[in-house]
Structure formats: C-alpha cells, structure tokens
Amino acid sequence: MAQLYLVRHAKAGERRLWNADDIERPLSKKGWKQAELVGKRLAKHDPSVLLSSAYVRCIQTLEPLGERLDLQVEVDERLTEHEPVEPLLELIREAPKGAVMCSHGDLIPAALQRLKKAGAKIATQPDWRKSSVWVLQRSKHGHIVKATAWPPPVL
C-alpha cells in the first residue's frame, strides 16, 4: 500500500488586500509557522518527492520540508487552483509512493469527493482548512482505498 500526502497550502495574506497577480501571493507569518510544523510532521514519513501548484503560497508551504530533507519542490500544473479535478486524480494515481502534493481549497475537496464516489473510505471528518493534510492510502492498482485528514498544526 502506497501512502501519499495532499496538503492544502498554509495561510497566505488576504486575497482582497493583494494588489499583484494572485499566483505571487506569499505566505503570511502564521503561514510560515504552519509550513514549518507541517514539514516537521511530514519529514517523519519519508517523503519521496515534493509536488506543488505554481502558486507561491503552495511552493512556500513545502519549502521547509524540502530544506529538512534536501528535496526540491517541483511544480506540477495538475495541482493548480481553478483547474479541472481529473488531472489531479491522474496525478494521485501515478505519483510515487511517499509523494507530498500541495494544492488549493477548491481542488482538494473536489478530489476527495471523487475519490469517495470511487470507493475510498473517508476515515475522518473532512478538514479543508489551510495547512491540513490528507493522507491517502493507494492500492497497488492505483486506487485510493482510504483517506484520513490531519488537522492544521496548532500554533
């Protein structure tokens, strides 16, 4: 059974107060603390690859983990906000065991809903908050059989 991790990016500055392109909106001070704690927890699970949406806040969410493990954060467009969910589901089927993937609050719930419809057991109450992590158990046939939500770290 392969274990994968789907992370919602940590807290960023408010969208309505950001004047530049939203792709460039960075983490807030609280978001950096969340990213550090998420990275500390995930480092114990032997991540193999770090995949992220191109949005700065997603990349930054995985950077502390990458620094701990000497892994580079790689951009994968299938994790990008406002994109269709099917490519993300394909990534979840194909990603290497131990992959950590950072995405957004629109795609993660959509993906979990589709995985549930396909037969995955949702083992916990859904948690869509920023810096929450979904632990996905994938069978050797590429099907997600179980999904468990870790709540955001307590600051």
Side-chain angles (χ1 to χ4, degrees), residues 7 50-52 58-66 73 100-102:
V7 180
L50 307 180
L51 304 173
S52 175
C58 285
I59 294 167
Q60 289 178 334
T61 297
L62 297 184
E63 283 179 344
L65 176 60
V73 178
V100 176
M101 302 166 280
C102 189

Side-chain angles (χ1 to χ4, degrees), residues 35-97:
E36 183 62 41
L37 292 171
V38 166
K40 184 177 179 181
R41 185 173 189 185
L42 285 169
K44 299 173 187 174
H45 296 274
D46 298 321
S48 59
V49 64
L50 307 180
L51 304 173
S52 175
S53 159
Y55 282 61
V56 168
R57 57 190 175 270
C58 285
I59 294 167
Q60 289 178 334
T61 297
L62 297 184
E63 283 179 344
L65 176 60
E67 288 172 12
R68 282 178 179 273
L69 302 174
D70 197 29
L71 290 173
Q72 292 294 316
V73 178
E74 302 172 31
V75 170
D76 191 307
E77 295 301 327
R78 295 173 285 187
L79 293 159
T80 303
E81 188 172 41
H82 305 305
E83 290 298 315
V85 71
E86 291 79 13
L88 174 55
L89 296 171
E90 176 184 303
L91 175 61
I92 289 169
R93 283 190 300 274
E94 297 174 352
K97 177 181 179 181

Side-chain angles (χ1 to χ4, degrees), residues 74-135:
E74 302 172 31
V75 170
D76 191 307
E77 295 301 327
R78 295 173 285 187
L79 293 159
T80 303
E81 188 172 41
H82 305 305
E83 290 298 315
V85 71
E86 291 79 13
L88 174 55
L89 296 171
E90 176 184 303
L91 175 61
I92 289 169
R93 283 190 300 274
E94 297 174 352
K97 177 181 179 181
V100 176
M101 302 166 280
C102 189
S103 191
H104 301 268
D106 62 335
L107 274 181
I108 295 172
L112 267 293
Q113 182 181 24
R114 292 282 294 277
L115 293 171
K116 183 178 179 181
K117 282 184 180 181
K121 177 186 177 192
I122 308 299
T124 57
Q125 285 293 103
D127 197 333
W128 316 119
R129 292 176 289 171
K130 291 181 175 136
S131 73
S132 59
V133 177
W134 281 91
V135 181

